[in-house]
């Protein structure tokens, strides 16, 4: 699928996507925080393009146990303006490491029952190594840096808010072509 893009106040010809766009831009880098059910198919469609040889995805779901206890659901809260700004910074870093065509990050807020999707991360690129490595970098960066908080609600009535994870992001290296 080809589509016309306008990015950073530049009009691009119909169907044109730069082979290595190094600037994060909302025309290519899609961000969504929603209380609605997330769709992997809809998110993939945002980064799909004829020049992409690879689309890599990560879909995080609510599991039914944590540390041997039964989980009923997760509850998420986010500070969306800050999350959007920081996500574009993260994407900028990803674009400096990997040759990316498009990215998408969709995150659910509110209650997310067991088995449902809480986060989707997608990267498209000409080559699979860039897309796969970028998705790994993007999800690690999201968990370490975005102001999105998770509370696990357990079947015993208890619940605890989780802090952002301490993740060593220096392990993510650029892909050489």
């Amino acid at each position: 699928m080809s589509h016309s893009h306008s990015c950073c106040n530049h009009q691009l010809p119909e169907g044109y996507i730069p082979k290595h766009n190094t600037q994060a831009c909302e025309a290519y880098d899609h961000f969504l925080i929603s209380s609605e059910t997330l769709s992997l198919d809809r998110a993939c469609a945002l980064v799909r393009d004829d020049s992409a040889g690879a689309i890599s995805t990560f879909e995080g779901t609510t599991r039914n146990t944590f540390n041997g206890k039964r989980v009923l659901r997760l509850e998420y809260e986010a500070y969306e303006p800050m999350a959007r700004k920081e996500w574009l910074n993260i994407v900028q870093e990803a674009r400096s490491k990997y040759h990316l065509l498009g990215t998408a990050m969709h995150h659910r807020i509110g209650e997310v029952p067991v088995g449902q999707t809480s986060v989707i991360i997608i990267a498209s690129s000409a080559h699979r190594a860039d897309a796969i490595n970028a998705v790994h970098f993007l999800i690690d960066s999201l968990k370490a840096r975005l102001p999105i908080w998770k509370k696990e609600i357990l079947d015993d009535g208890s619940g605890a808010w989780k802090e952002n994870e301490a993740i060593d992001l220096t392990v993510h290296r650029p892909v050489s072509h």
Side-chain angles (χ1 to χ4, degrees):
M1 165 173 39
S2 294
H3 24 221
S4 178
H5 294 282
S6 171
C7 179
C8 309
N9 298 321
H10 295 101
Q11 292 297 322
L12 303 176
E14 178 70 27
Y16 176 79
I17 292 185
K19 292 298 178 196
H20 179 45
N21 183 5
T22 59
Q23 298 296 311
C25 171
E26 291 187 31
Y28 303 109
D29 302 306
H30 304 275
F31 175 88
L32 174 70
I33 291 181
S34 175
S35 60
E36 303 297 319
T37 301
L38 302 178
S39 165
L40 184 61
D41 288 341
R42 283 194 301 268
C44 278
L46 296 171
V47 302
R48 189 173 303 283
D49 192 276
D50 291 344
S51 59
I55 297 175
S56 184
T57 66
F58 171 82
E59 186 174 8
T61 60
T62 302
R63 64 177 173 261
N64 63 358
T65 60
F66 179 75
N67 287 343
K69 296 182 180 180
R70 189 165 168 252
V71 174
L72 297 178
R73 67 184 177 279
L74 300 178
E75 293 179 2
Y76 287 93
E77 290 185 7
Y79 180 42
E80 187 171 350
M82 184 182 278
R84 178 180 299 278
K85 182 178 179 184
E86 186 60 20
W87 179 251
L88 288 175
N89 290 334
I90 291 167
V91 170
Q92 185 74 34
E93 290 175 39
R95 287 185 173 283
S96 74
K97 296 175 181 289
Y98 311 108
H99 293 242
L100 299 176
L101 298 171
T103 67
M105 189 287 290
H106 291 184
H107 206 296
R108 184 114 170 245
I109 56 172
E111 292 185 5
V112 183
V114 169
Q116 290 194 14
T117 301
S118 55
V119 63
I120 294 171
I121 302 287
I122 303 173
S124 64
S125 62
H127 304 285
R128 71 179 177 271
D130 288 297
I132 291 167
N133 288 304
V135 165
H136 188 189
F137 172 79
L138 292 168
I139 189 61
D140 280 357
S141 297
L142 177 153
K143 294 190 77 61
R145 295 169 47 187
L146 256 57
I148 299 174
W149 304 278
K150 169 176 73 174
K151 183 177 186 180
E152 291 175 325
I153 308 299
L154 306 176
D155 68 347
D156 64 5
S158 66
W161 288 100
K162 302 292 184 173
E163 292 186 28
N164 285 359
E165 294 182 30
I167 297 173
D168 180 7
L169 297 174
T170 64
V171 301
H172 296 283
R173 303 280 182 231
V175 172
S176 59
H177 291 275

